[in-house]
Amino acid sequence: MPELAGLAAMVEAVLAVAGDPVTVDALVAVAGEGVERARVEEALEFVRSRHEQAGSGIRLEHVAGGWRLATRSEYEGALREYLGYRARARLSQAALETLAVIAYRQPVTLPEINFLRGVNSVAVVRTLVERRLVVVSGRKQVVGTPLLYRTSKEFLVHFGLPDLSALPTPEEVEQIAGESAVEP
Amino acid sequence: MPELAGLAAMVEAVLAVAGDPVTVDALVAVAGEGVERARVEEALEFVRSRHEQAGSGIRLEHVAGGWRLATRSEYEGALREYLGYRARARLSQAALETLAVIAYRQPVTLPEINFLRGVNSVAVVRTLVERRLVVVSGRKQVVGTPLLYRTSKEFLVHFGLPDLSALPTPEEVEQIAGESAVEP
Amino acid sequence: MDPALVGVEGPVRPSVVLPVFEGPLDLLLHLVREEKVSIWDIPIARICDQYHEALRRMEELDLEVAGEYLVYAAWLLLIKSRLLLPRHEGEQKDPRLELVERLAEYEKVKAAAAELAGLVELRRGVERVRFAVPPPSGEIELDLEDVDVLALSRALRDVLERHLRDHPPTLQLEPIRFSVREKILELFELIRRQRSFPLLSHLLTRPDRLESVTLLLAALELQRLGTATAHQRRPFAEIYLTPTGTPLPMDALTDA
């Protein structure tokens, strides 16, 4: 039954990019003219049974009046493990902002970072230190003698900079990064 | 071989959640102790061949130094229908030329791009930076210390390349350039 | 691959079709290909004339002709004139060489761009899968590998803009150095002595702008009190302040 397999593959492709549950009606509409509802339901059953076989980490589930592809619950541990692994190779927007403040204003104290960002950044600074992008470089001689932070050698290597003076100037950012309003 | 099937299912679940390409190293780390790299590669092959069978709308692909699940191009029509306006914007001729210069000469400066193309390309570079296809990778140590540009990981994903060495070689490109000169 | 064509229809003349070019090199390459010759053997005189003709047509069609096109036009003329001159002894280099080398490089860029376009074409319909698993935090995370200095500087700009929004600069008040009351008395003394006092010249020659402003307020106050009148013969001419004879009501002078 090659025709059903083709329809099943199309249904699976749509479900794979949808993320949210898709109703049978929507799938019938996408399948185009001449494809009956019963046929689409057969295709869904085809996809479902294909993923019941050994070696599939995916399953088709019926939720909230629609169908969606989801991972099998057995692999929750592995997924958590992976998300943790990925987090170590990524920077959150908060981390990027904090790194930017430290890079351009160094050496700088935590109260100064908090003042500029408007939020307490202690956890983010700790993460940046753990990831060796930021290091402590002494204390500021003011009340409370807070720690001073600056960027590390690894920071320069990662961004391909010979030294800190090579950071882009505001003019260069204006020229190349343009207005942030352009982005959706 | 139930053990391999189990590992394959786990790998598939991780890839389904990741969306972005996942390196074999990351998969080995997630698989936990006692699982060798070769075994993970076997599991990837298991997932790949399972999706080659009829009825699958997705496939395993090797892009940007990792592996990811993506939809099959056969179902473009259905996806466009379902996703509607969310389809990707196409790259202009100017963008493709600029990207070609950056891809083959990287890291390269804006003046170098302008010289090769014969026109000021600052606006095009800005678009490419906004679309995350191009990133800055330091400065050139010449007069004016201009910023250097290189292609990003997103570039490799967009063009379906495992790495930069998968680009057509300069010799291949030269041959095409020669051919097009003969037949106007 | 032909460049996209733009059709422009005139009301009387037949429609003119001119390809859209990516720059002077693109236009030159097009002209050389139309001649069906190798770029290493450019008939420079003919190409030069055709290039100028193309620019003329672009201007006629009101297409914006970028400065780069004019630079190449001048360069082509220079090469053409050099070829007409007899070569000096020992001068072996073909004046066309640099142009040819640039065209050859650009031809490679175009071929590479076509290759990339082909790769993208193969990727149509290939979309990343998005499974219904919420990310660990709602925040957008960036792949460290692709975080560059521009992203960093942009982040700083965002922080500073937000900071400025949350902490708008407070209005700076200058200490009061001149009082209107003091200036009223000063002006009254001046008009009593001079009868017709050139107010505008006086205002324009004060070293301190704040003093001029205070003086103007004082002059207006004098008229309000009926102690002085101002007149000007034509716009921008001198303004004269003359006393009316009414004495200055000292009690009306608030401590401004």
Side-chain angles (χ1 to χ4, degrees), chain A residues 6-90:
Chain A
L7 184 61
M10 191 216 78
V11 163
E12 191 180 35
V14 170
L15 294 177
V17 296
D20 302 320
V22 182
T23 62
V24 176
D25 286 344
L27 290 171
V28 171
V30 170
E33 266 172 63
V35 182
E36 281 165 36
R37 192 183 169 85
R39 194 82 180 138
V40 169
E41 278 166 346
E42 259 182 89
L44 279 164
E45 177 52 31
F46 186 99
V47 173
R48 197 196 59 74
S49 72
R50 220 173 56 80
H51 284 298
E52 288 304 316
Q53 292 161 25
S56 177
I58 299 170
R59 63 192 208 88
L60 184 67
E61 57 179 27
H62 188 49
V63 282
W67 294 87
R68 73 169 183 190
L69 289 171
T71 51
R72 289 183 179 280
S73 51
E74 295 101 289
Y75 306 108
E76 244 173 63
L79 294 186
R80 251 201 315 275
E81 190 74 31
Y82 168 71
L83 293 175
Y85 183 92
R86 183 166 76 175
R88 289 191 285 279
R90 294 193 167 201

Side-chain angles (χ1 to χ4, degrees), chain A residues 126-145:
Chain A
R126 195 181 300 137
T127 312
L128 291 173
V129 170
E130 270 166 23
R131 295 177 71 170
R132 297 168 183 278
L133 290 168
V134 162
V135 290
V136 172
S137 69
R139 287 180 182 279
K140 189 163 183 171
Q141 295 311 308
V142 294
V143 179
T145 58

Side-chain angles (χ1 to χ4, degrees), chain A residues 9 12 57 90 166 172 175-176, chain B residues 9 12 20 26 57 75 126 138-139:
Chain A
E12 191 180 35
R90 294 193 167 201
E172 281 172 326
Q175 189 192 25
I176 294 301
Chain B
E12 190 179 36
D20 297 325
Y75 307 108
R126 188 185 300 147
R139 281 182 194 278

Side-chain angles (χ1 to χ4, degrees), chain B residues 16-20 58 61 68-73 76 79-80 86 88 90 93-94 96-97 100-101 104-105 115-120 129 132 135-136 150 152-154 157-161 167-168 173-174 176-177 180-181 184, chain C residues 1-2 22-26 33-34 36-38 66 68-69 72 98 102 104-117 119-131 133 142-143 145-150 154:
Chain B
V17 169
D20 297 325
I58 51 187
E61 62 173 21
R68 73 164 194 171
L69 289 173
T71 55
R72 287 181 181 279
S73 56
E76 194 213 344
L79 293 188
R80 231 200 346 243
R86 274 190 279 171
R88 273 187 295 231
R90 299 186 74 162
Q93 179 64 23
L96 283 169
E97 282 186 13
V101 172
Y104 282 94
R105 307 260 172 156
F115 181 78
L116 273 167
R117 290 196 61 226
V119 281
N120 188 355
V129 166
R132 296 181 184 278
V135 290
V136 170
R150 65 168 173 84
S152 68
K153 210 165 167 177
E154 181 57 33
V157 173
H158 192 90
F159 288 89
L161 302 168
L167 276 170
V173 169
E174 206 150 331
I176 297 157
S180 58
Chain C
M1 264 223 264
D2 260 359
E22 292 298 334
L25 285 169
D26 200 18
R33 281 180 190 172
E34 276 199 329
K36 295 189 167 62
V37 291
S38 157
E68 289 103 345
Y69 283 97
Y72 272 73
E98 196 189 338
R102 268 201 220 178
E105 281 304 316
Y106 181 66
E107 200 174 33
K108 275 189 245 168
V109 169
K110 267 186 89 94
E115 285 284 288
L116 289 180
L119 287 176
V120 161
E121 202 53 36
L122 292 174
R123 302 292 288 170
R124 283 174 67 180
V126 179
E127 298 283 339
R128 56 176 276 174
V129 300
R130 299 191 311 137
F131 267 51
V133 174
L142 309 145
D143 199 318
E145 204 178 298
D146 280 347
V147 172
D148 63 356
V149 279
L150 274 186
R154 241 174 148 170

